[in-house]
């Protein structure tokens, strides 16, 4: 003879099923639903955390990929690469810098480089093109530095 299910059994089974159904769901800081990470994103995360990525993940990584020609980046200005979430600047002739394009205030993507600053459209934060430091809040932390290499007239992700 089988015993009827207890309330505890029903609740714990339901909670477990709900938790499994929500794996991978969530929101980013801007409130947008997040999608599962691609192998490339996982490889980037592994590299950023100091873990070695698998050979297949390294092959799929955008590292080493050409971003732009040096002539695409204006002296005293810069360019936002939305897909790569990187902004490349040239504060003075031949001096190229790269920063994260993610605003440190609330995670919006910066959208332009003008008048010596990298600008965020969400709340008006501005960062200096020379070092990514905050020129105007509400952000209080600088943009993260990114690695690029300049070879001849090409700028590549490092």
């Amino acid at each position: 003879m089988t015993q009827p299910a207890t309330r505890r059994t029903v609740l714990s089974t339901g909670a477990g099923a709900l938790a499994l159904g929500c794996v991978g769901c969530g929101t980013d800081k801007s409130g947008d639903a997040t999608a599962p990470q691609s192998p490339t994103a996982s490889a980037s995360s592994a590299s950023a955390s100091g873990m070695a990525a698998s050979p297949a993940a390294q092959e799929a990584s955008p590292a080493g990929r050409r971003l732009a020609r040096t002539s695409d980046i204006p002296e005293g200005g810069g360019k936002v690469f939305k897909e790569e979430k990187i902004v490349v600047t040239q504060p003075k002739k031949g001096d190229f810098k790269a920063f994260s394009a993610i605003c440190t205030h609330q995670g919006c993507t910066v959208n332009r480089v003008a008048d010596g600053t990298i600008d965020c459209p969400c709340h008006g934060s501005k960062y200096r093109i020379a070092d990514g430091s905050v020129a105007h809040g509400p952000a209080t932390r600088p943009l993260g530095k990114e690695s690029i290499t300049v070879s001849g007239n090409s700028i590549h992700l490092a």
Side-chain angles (χ1 to χ4, degrees), residues 64-128:
R65 197 178 106 220
R66 182 176 157 181
L67 277 176
R69 293 185 314 258
T70 55
S71 60
D72 295 337
I73 312 299
E75 185 179 344
K79 183 174 179 179
V80 178
F81 297 89
K82 289 182 182 177
E83 185 177 311
E84 294 83 0
K85 293 185 172 54
I86 290 177
V87 58
V88 177
T89 64
Q90 184 180 192
K92 55 187 176 179
K93 187 173 176 81
D95 182 25
F96 295 91
K97 308 280 184 171
F99 306 98
S100 168
I102 305 302
C103 179
T104 60
H105 175 237
Q106 287 194 346
C108 295
T109 302
V110 299
N111 68 338
R112 72 184 191 133
V113 180
D115 301 321
T117 61
I118 301 163
D119 304 339
C120 180
C122 294
H123 301 106
S125 292
K126 295 179 183 276
Y127 303 88
R128 292 176 186 89

Side-chain angles (χ1 to χ4, degrees), residues 1-157:
M1 203 164 151
T2 59
Q3 302 232 353
T6 64
R7 180 182 294 170
R8 180 178 292 156
T9 303
V10 171
L11 289 175
S12 65
T13 302
L18 180 61
L20 283 175
C22 287
V23 170
C25 296
T27 60
D28 63 13
K29 291 180 182 178
S30 65
D32 295 333
T34 58
Q37 284 192 340
S38 67
T40 300
S42 298
S44 298
S45 298
S47 298
S49 66
M51 296 170 42
S54 70
Q58 288 174 347
E59 212 172 273
S61 173
R65 197 178 106 220
R66 182 176 157 181
L67 277 176
R69 293 185 314 258
T70 55
S71 60
D72 295 337
I73 312 299
E75 185 179 344
K79 183 174 179 179
V80 178
F81 297 89
K82 289 182 182 177
E83 185 177 311
E84 294 83 0
K85 293 185 172 54
I86 290 177
V87 58
V88 177
T89 64
Q90 184 180 192
K92 55 187 176 179
K93 187 173 176 81
D95 182 25
F96 295 91
K97 308 280 184 171
F99 306 98
S100 168
I102 305 302
C103 179
T104 60
H105 175 237
Q106 287 194 346
C108 295
T109 302
V110 299
N111 68 338
R112 72 184 191 133
V113 180
D115 301 321
T117 61
I118 301 163
D119 304 339
C120 180
C122 294
H123 301 106
S125 292
K126 295 179 183 276
Y127 303 88
R128 292 176 186 89
I129 64 169
D131 59 7
S133 63
V134 177
H136 183 272
T140 58
R141 292 175 290 129
L143 291 174
K145 293 184 178 173
E146 296 288 338
S147 296
I148 56 170
T149 58
V150 179
S151 178
N153 67 353
S154 294
I155 300 171
H156 297 263
L157 292 172

